Amino acid sequence: NAGVTQTPKFQVLKTGQSMTLQCAQDMNHEYMSWYRQDPGMGLRLIHYSVGAGITDQGEVPNGYNVSRSTTEDFPLRLLSAAPSQTSVYFCASSYSGRPPGANVLTFGAGSRLTVL
Amino acid sequence: DAKTTQPPSMDCAEGRAANLPCNHSTISGNEYVYWYRQIHSQGPQYIIHGLKNNETNEMASLIITEDRKSSTLILPHATLRDTAVYYCIVRGGSNYKLTFGKGTLLTVNP
């Protein structure tokens, strides 16, 4: 049971490049989400999904795309990276709509992205 | 979505109890209070949750006021390893936009 796996752990991009941050979970969780964390800003929700084929925007969705074709995977795509997207990105997952003790979020270890 | 308010930072002496407050005055009846913590740059980890009764587990205790507008996370005997950012969030029903805010940086001093 690996939990939530994020890849890559570190990435350096040039402005305008595209890339995908991968997130996979093996817990059969319905809910998956992406957060970014900047110094002094706490965790901010980018996008989330409540099941395969269903996604929605969070607080800071601009510049990011997501899709959810399977229960296990929730990739985050940067189509044209900008320096403002330099951040640490966390993926989280949980059950949804079950007893509250089952709705606990499990976070990945994070992906540190630098855009030059 | 209910929002939470936490103090930006707190200090605590090692071995003493750490009491971290959280205000959630707009919480609705079906929303639970969850606490997480983030040690250094790791992913946040779950600590405890509750609805209206006080809760205790091996890590901490959670005290929720009778009107449910605020709560306190208690670490009964803080250690240096408890130095972290602590987040209080509310979640329930169809609330999927889970916002964490900036949390409280707890520093445990020797």
Side-chain angles (χ1 to χ4, degrees):
Chain A
N1 190 340
V4 177
T5 303
Q6 290 185 234
T7 55
K9 287 186 168 51
F10 301 94
Q11 183 71 50
V12 178
L13 289 178
K14 295 181 179 178
T15 296
Q17 287 185 318
S18 63
M19 78 155 300
T20 299
L21 298 177
Q22 301 290 347
C23 177
Q25 51 91 8
D26 61 357
M27 298 170 283
N28 204 29
H29 284 167
E30 298 95 350
Y31 180 87
M32 297 187 74
S33 55
W34 276 102
Y35 291 87
R36 61 176 288 174
Q37 185 170 41
D38 305 304
M41 294 297 293
L43 291 161
R44 292 186 291 171
L45 181 65
I46 304 172
H47 285 286
Y48 64 94
S49 168
V50 298
I54 305 170
T55 64
D56 206 345
Q57 297 180 348
E59 303 170 82
V60 288
N62 292 338
Y64 306 95
N65 281 349
V66 292
S67 61
R68 184 99 179 266
S69 56
T70 67
T71 299
E72 295 78 18
D73 300 297
F74 191 44
L76 180 71
R77 298 184 184 85
L78 287 71
L79 298 179
S80 179
S84 60
Q85 294 178 303
T86 293
S87 189
V88 180
Y89 292 84
F90 289 100
C91 179
S93 73
S94 76
Y95 290 114
S96 175
R98 302 194 189 190
N103 293 339
V104 169
L105 286 168
T106 299
F107 282 81
S111 297
R112 185 175 297 272
L113 175 66
T114 301
V115 182
L116 303 176
Chain B
D1 299 344
K3 302 299 183 187
T4 61
T5 304
Q6 299 177 253
S9 64
M10 296 183 66
D11 286 326
C12 178
E14 188 176 21
R16 303 297 295 269
N19 296 277
L20 293 92
C22 179
N23 181 286
H24 32 79
S25 58
T26 59
I27 192 170
S28 61
N30 64 349
E31 289 183 315
Y32 284 70
V33 180
Y34 290 78
W35 283 83
Y36 293 79
R37 75 179 182 183
Q38 184 177 27
I39 296 174
H40 195 47
S41 301
Q42 301 173 18
Q45 295 176 305
Y46 165 78
I47 301 173
I48 198 168
H49 74 277
L51 180 64
K52 55 184 178 181
N53 297 320
N54 298 340
E55 302 289 345
T56 296
N57 63 20
E58 65 278 5
M59 290 183 66
S61 294
L62 174 61
I63 309 296
I64 302 175
T65 57
E66 192 169 344
D67 63 7
R68 302 215 317 127
K69 293 184 177 182
S70 65
S71 60
T72 301
L73 178 74
I74 301 173
L75 307 178
H77 305 286
T79 71
L80 299 179
R81 288 177 295 180
D82 291 322
T83 292
V85 177
Y86 289 77
Y87 297 97
C88 162
I89 71 168
V90 294
R91 181 178 188 181
S94 59
N95 172 19
Y96 298 116
K97 272 190 174 180
L98 305 179
T99 56
F100 274 72
K102 299 181 182 181
T104 296
L105 172 60
L106 174 68
T107 302
V108 181
N109 300 305

